[in-house]
């Protein structure tokens, strides 16, 4: 332990892997040290170097900084950094772990993914962490990676920045990842390894997940990628802008990157991510008095979200431009099939 005195951090530099947590109801809580070192490292968006206690593997140790194989674990207010080799993580929730809370940590310069949720780990909470520069040794390492059969997890309030691969990855193999909530996160600048896995969020295997109220920007590829086999996922009121390709890509295939704008089809019979749901069709837009009048159609009962959009990087079918939705405005609900009228919801 290096103690630089008041106003500095407690720096712990192991030369071998810390043992995994195996006892239920274990807390590793850096908040207990603020009175000793001084609460000097309060979070600053995107640049914080960590709380008052930092565990630094110095790029010498090939292991997760913290691995828990126990339920009801709390990992709180730590700085975790500099693992060696792809496959190592800042925090790893082991197979089948439930009811863990990982919050207020700063995790950076990790060889593999910043936070990993392994097979069957469910009902966990990943809250208010800063994860940046994950994937030093792995082009497809993510900020936060969900393995398979991960259900009912909540990922909220995090900053996920400059990962080699996806910001958040719900992986394609094995059991479906269902009913997870991804909300109120900043997901920025991910996919920096030359387009290997370059979306802000990749939902590659999962049903009935919710992706809402996130800021998803400046990622190398899609804002959100939804692969075939993933259905019933709600994507709502996110601020998606300035990404390398389209904002939301419903992919016909099971590939690492999307396939671009998919044209509507008669009867909406095609298949793929979220059923390749047809987009609403706007026939005209005009200002009438102080109101914006839109005319068009969508399936009966559909909720249609309207945004102020940026210019969009990729032209769609027929040379039209499908911009990304940056600023949410309102939601309209399509009427009955016979009237094709959308009304304010």
């Amino acid at each position: 332990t290096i103690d630089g005195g008041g106003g500095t951090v407690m720096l712990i530099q192991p030369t071998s892997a810390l043992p995994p947590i195996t006892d239920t109801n274990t807390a590793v809580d850096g908040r207990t040290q603020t009175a000793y070192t001084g609460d000097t490292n309060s979070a600053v968006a995107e640049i914080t170097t960590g709380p008052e206690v930092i565990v630094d593997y110095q790029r010498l140790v090939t292991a997760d900084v913290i691995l828990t194989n126990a339920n009801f674990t709390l990992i709180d207010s730590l700085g975790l950094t500099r693992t060696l080799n792809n496959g190592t993580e800042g925090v790893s929730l082991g197979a089948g772990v439930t009811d863990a809370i990982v919050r207020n940590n700063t995790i950076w310069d990790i060889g593999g993914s910043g936070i990993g949720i392994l097979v069957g780990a469910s009902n966990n909470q990943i809250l208010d962490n800063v994860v940046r520069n994950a994937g030093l040794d792995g082009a497809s390492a993510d900020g936060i990676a969900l393995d398979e059969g991960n259900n009912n997890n909540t990922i909220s309030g995090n900053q996920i920045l400059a990962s080699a691969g996806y910001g958040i990855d719900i992986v394609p193999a094995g059991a479906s990842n269902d009913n997870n909530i991804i909300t109120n996160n900043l997901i920025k600048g991910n996919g920096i390894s030359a387009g290997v896995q370059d979306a802000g969020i990749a939902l590659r295997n999962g049903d009935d997940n919710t992706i809402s109220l996130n800021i998803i920007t400046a990622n190398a590829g899609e804002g959100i990628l939804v692969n075939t086999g993933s259905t019933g996922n709600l994507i709502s009121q996110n601020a998606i802008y300035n990404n390398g390709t389209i904002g939301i890509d419903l992919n016909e295939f099971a590939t690492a990157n999307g396939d671009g704008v998919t044209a509507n089809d008669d009867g909406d019979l095609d298949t793929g991510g979220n059923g390749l749901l047809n987009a609403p069709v706007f026939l005209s837009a005009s200002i009438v008095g102080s109101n914006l009048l839109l005319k068009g159609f969508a399936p009966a009962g559909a909720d249609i979200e309207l945004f102020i959009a940026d210019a969009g990087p990729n032209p769609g079918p027929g040379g039209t431009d499908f911009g990304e939705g940056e600023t949410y405005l309102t939601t309209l609900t399509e009427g009955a099939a016979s009237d094709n009228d959308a009304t304010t919801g």
Side-chain angles (χ1 to χ4, degrees):
T1 299
I2 300 171
D3 175 16
T8 61
V9 300
M10 300 298 292
L11 183 63
I12 302 170
Q13 295 180 313
T15 56
S16 60
L18 298 175
I21 296 169
T22 57
D23 292 341
T24 300
N25 292 305
T26 297
V28 184
D29 190 349
R31 294 173 301 171
T32 61
Q33 295 300 311
T34 57
Y36 177 64
T37 63
D39 192 5
T40 59
N41 290 317
S42 56
V44 178
E46 303 180 38
I47 62 171
T48 178
T49 55
E52 280 65 44
V53 178
I54 294 177
V55 183
D56 177 10
Y57 270 9
Q58 306 174 82
R59 301 283 288 164
L60 299 175
V61 181
T62 302
D64 305 321
V65 183
I66 294 180
L67 166 61
T68 177
N69 293 319
N71 300 334
F72 297 97
T73 305
L74 173 67
I75 310 299
D76 198 334
S77 300
L78 302 172
L80 307 172
T81 188
R82 297 205 293 169
T83 65
L84 182 66
N85 289 347
N86 187 26
T88 63
E89 296 169 341
V91 175
S92 181
L93 304 185
V97 164
T98 67
D99 300 291
I101 299 175
V102 180
R103 70 184 180 200
N104 299 322
N105 302 287
T106 300
I107 301 168
W108 78 102
D109 291 352
I110 298 295
S113 296
I115 298 174
I117 302 176
L118 302 187
V119 175
S122 299
N123 299 298
N124 301 292
Q125 299 181 66
I126 310 298
L127 309 174
D128 302 317
N129 302 281
V130 176
V131 180
R132 56 185 172 85
N133 299 114
L136 294 182
D137 303 315
S140 60
D142 313 299
I144 298 177
L146 283 73
D147 201 328
E148 61 175 278
N150 302 136
N151 304 319
N152 301 299
N153 297 288
T154 298
I155 300 173
S156 178
N158 303 280
Q159 298 177 37
I160 305 167
L161 313 164
S163 306
Y166 302 124
I168 298 176
D169 183 14
I170 298 179
V171 303
S176 183
N177 298 281
D178 303 334
N179 298 298
N180 298 289
I181 296 173
I182 300 172
T183 189
N184 283 301
N185 301 284
L186 171 63
I187 302 167
K188 181 177 180 181
N190 299 286
I192 62 177
S193 289
V196 176
Q197 293 184 342
D198 57 11
I201 298 174
L203 207 170
R204 300 193 285 163
N205 180 20
D207 302 331
D208 303 314
N209 298 284
T210 297
I211 300 173
S212 66
L213 301 170
N214 301 285
I215 299 173
I216 304 170
T217 183
N219 300 287
E222 306 82 14
I224 301 172
L225 170 67
V226 184
N227 269 358
T228 185
S230 300
T231 62
N233 299 289
L234 175 64
I235 300 173
S236 179
Q237 298 186 34
N238 300 282
I240 306 175
Y241 60 98
N242 196 34
N243 295 288
T245 62
I246 60 176
I248 300 172
D249 194 334
L250 304 184
N251 193 2
E252 183 180 358
F253 307 104
T255 54
N257 298 319
D259 56 1
V261 174
T262 302
N264 286 350
D265 63 307
D266 188 20
D268 201 10
L269 300 177
D270 53 359
T271 59
N274 266 12
L276 293 187
L277 182 69
N278 277 355
V281 175
F282 294 99
L283 301 174
S284 66
S286 58
I287 301 294
V288 179
S290 60
N291 298 313
L292 171 63
L293 177 63
L294 300 173
K295 293 185 177 181
F297 56 89
D303 288 332
I304 305 166
E305 294 186 353
L306 300 181
F307 294 79
I308 298 173
D310 70 8
N314 283 345
T320 57
D321 197 333
F322 286 69
E324 302 177 80
E326 180 171 359
T327 304
Y328 170 74
L329 293 176
T330 190
T331 299
L332 308 178
T333 301
E334 178 62 84
S338 60
D339 61 28
N340 288 326
D341 288 333
T343 57
T344 302

